[in-house]
Amino acid sequence: MAKSSTTMASFKPFFFFFSSLLYFSTAQSPPPPPPPQSLINAAETLSNSGYISMSLTLELIADTVISRAAKNSLTGSALTIFSPPDSSFSDFGQPSLSHILLHFSPVSISLSSLQSLPFSSKIPSLSPSSSLYVTSVSSDSRVSINNVEIVGSPIYDDGYVIVFGIEDFFTQNFTQPETNRNPNFKSSPQCIRLDPFSRFYEVSLMLKSKGYLIMSSFLELQLIGFLKNTELKLTVFAPMDDAVVGFSGDFPVYQQLFLRHLVPCVLYWTDLNEMVNGTEFKNYVNGLSLTITKVNDVSFVDGVEITYPDLYYNDWVVVHGLQSLIPLPDQIDGEMHEDPVKPEVDVSIAPDRSEF
């Protein structure tokens, strides 16, 4: 069997693993209704809660909202709506479409998430020319955005769409507040700036919608996703939740389990198809590698069939779905002896001297 070897410079991503991962691995809530139905339900709840003007407006622009959310590359399935009261519509009149879209964000943001965002954090909106900024600090009793306070808890939340009441319309062309105006701000040369939303947010949404909640949670917990100007190239081989749930209480293996499903480069499905049978890639686990093999036009990674190629991809990350976990080398050897019909997988383990 011909073999080519590709060795890549690897780096160690930062890891935060929380006990909440156990929830995702043991219980899956039923999927929310599709976005159009979510907006219909949200409009009805707004009307029943006394926000009649915003309810009618939402019914009129629902198609535009879904279209704009899709153009923002956030799958069109997550949305946060900030609703002014009817009195604001009476005083202001019917706002322009651009202005009303400022009150829609293509991310699903819970109240606790809003409370945790630092002062001056930018929140994306569907308005083409304006943005939203957090103007409250952690010590404030209420969250404010663009100097407009959020009123209480969400009016509506189905897992896709969240609706908050606010005291008035957001101001267009609001200037991002300077961080040093935050009374709690203390300058420190040791501090770094983190983005309020991880670059893994979009791929995480997609994985959750396809039943890969555990791998989605692993990606969401990576601190590197919140760092600016960080070069990152990644291929993720994502096993289904059913394959990972048996490790839900085994915290010591989480790091190795996650890392052995990554390759530090972008490998699209077309790239995998064009590779020489037996091409080997160094991955993130010291001493281990992943080998791509093919049998009758079916591609395998370390003997595991790639069942859902190109689940998600952009210019720096691609996700391929698997039905099962990528096994450790000793597991592969045992399975090959037990099942001689299974396609041969050659996994060579060479000492990793890259750190010496």
Side-chain angles (χ1 to χ4, degrees):
M1 178 183 297
K3 176 179 288 189
S4 63
S5 178
T6 304
T7 303
M8 303 176 184
S10 62
F11 59 88
K12 300 290 185 183
F14 297 93
F15 290 90
F16 284 163
F17 296 107
F18 301 109
S19 59
S20 60
L21 181 63
L22 294 177
Y23 170 80
F24 289 111
S25 61
T26 56
Q28 296 185 25
S29 57
Q37 186 61 47
S38 289
L39 293 183
I40 292 172
N41 295 343
E44 182 178 349
T45 303
L46 278 166
S47 179
N48 293 337
S49 302
Y51 293 84
I52 298 174
S53 297
M54 192 60 169
S55 172
L56 295 173
T57 301
L58 179 56
E59 291 177 356
L60 289 173
I61 66 170
D63 290 342
T64 301
V65 168
I66 293 173
S67 174
R68 290 290 181 93
K71 288 181 180 179
N72 278 269
S73 301
L74 293 173
T75 74
S77 59
L79 200 66
T80 299
I81 303 173
F82 300 97
S83 174
D86 284 359
S87 58
S88 294
F89 280 87
S90 299
D91 296 339
F92 187 86
Q94 183 61 42
S96 66
L97 178 61
S98 176
H99 191 183
I100 201 68
L101 288 176
L102 181 61
H103 298 76
F104 293 79
S105 177
V107 290
S108 183
I109 318 173
S110 66
L111 181 59
S112 60
S113 295
L114 285 171
Q115 291 169 335
S116 68
L117 290 177
F119 178 83
S120 192
S121 293
K122 182 178 179 179
I123 299 174
S125 81
L126 296 185
S127 176
S129 58
S130 301
S131 296
L132 302 173
Y133 299 96
V134 175
T135 50
S136 55
V137 295
S138 57
S139 59
D140 292 342
S141 58
R142 282 187 176 183
V143 176
S144 71
I145 298 173
N146 288 22
N147 288 332
V148 177
E149 289 190 349
I150 291 177
V151 181
S153 300
I155 299 169
Y156 176 82
D157 182 358
D158 68 356
Y160 271 156
V161 176
I162 298 179
V163 181
F164 291 98
I166 55 176
E167 291 188 336
D168 204 349
F169 282 107
F170 292 135
T171 303
Q172 288 184 291
N173 303 315
F174 186 84
T175 303
Q176 183 174 14
E178 296 179 10
T179 306
N180 57 13
R181 291 185 181 177
N182 176 0
N184 295 334
F185 176 78
K186 295 181 180 179
S187 178
S188 170
Q190 298 180 350
C191 291
I192 60 174
R193 183 174 179 83
L194 300 181
D195 285 340
F197 298 98
S198 171
R199 68 173 73 185
F200 290 111
Y201 180 82
E202 184 178 340
V203 62
S204 174
L205 279 181
M206 184 282 306
L207 285 170
K208 287 179 180 178
S209 71
K210 300 294 185 181
Y212 296 83
L213 295 180
I214 297 176
M215 185 58 74
S216 167
S217 298
F218 275 127
L219 289 174
E220 285 181 333
L221 296 173
Q222 304 315 304
L223 180 59
I224 196 170
F226 296 91
L227 297 176
K228 290 179 175 289
N229 302 321
T230 302
E231 292 187 7
L232 184 63
K233 300 291 183 181
L234 202 62
T235 296
V236 181
F237 294 99
M240 293 290 291
D241 284 358
D242 290 345
V244 191
V245 69
F247 296 88
S248 59
D250 199 353
F251 288 98
V253 306
Y254 282 175
Q255 183 183 41
Q256 187 190 66
L257 186 152
F258 178 56
L259 289 181
R260 75 172 185 257
H261 290 82
L262 305 182
V263 175
C265 59
V266 174
L267 300 174
Y268 301 109
W269 181 238
T270 52
D271 299 325
L272 295 176
N273 279 332
E274 293 173 358
M275 286 178 183
V276 175
N277 197 10
T279 298
E280 184 178 294
F281 290 89
K282 292 279 286 187
N283 74 343
Y284 281 102
V285 181
N286 285 341
L288 295 184
S289 59
L290 297 179
T291 304
I292 306 299
T293 55
K294 303 174 187 177
V295 177
N296 298 328
D297 296 327
V298 178
S299 294
F300 298 81
V301 53
D302 276 19
V304 178
E305 182 181 351
I306 301 173
T307 49
Y308 302 102
D310 285 353
L311 261 176
Y312 176 90
Y313 59 88
N314 57 28
D315 59 348
W316 62 270
V317 63
V318 59
V319 180
H320 303 297
L322 309 176
Q323 285 287 357
S324 59
L325 289 170
I326 294 176
L328 291 171
D330 55 348
Q331 295 173 321
I332 296 174
D333 292 339
E335 290 174 0
M336 288 176 63
H337 287 301
E338 294 173 5
D339 186 3
V341 179
K342 192 169 185 177
E344 179 183 356
V345 179
D346 182 7
V347 179
S348 58
I349 306 177
D352 185 1
R353 299 185 176 87
S354 59
E355 298 181 0
F356 297 93

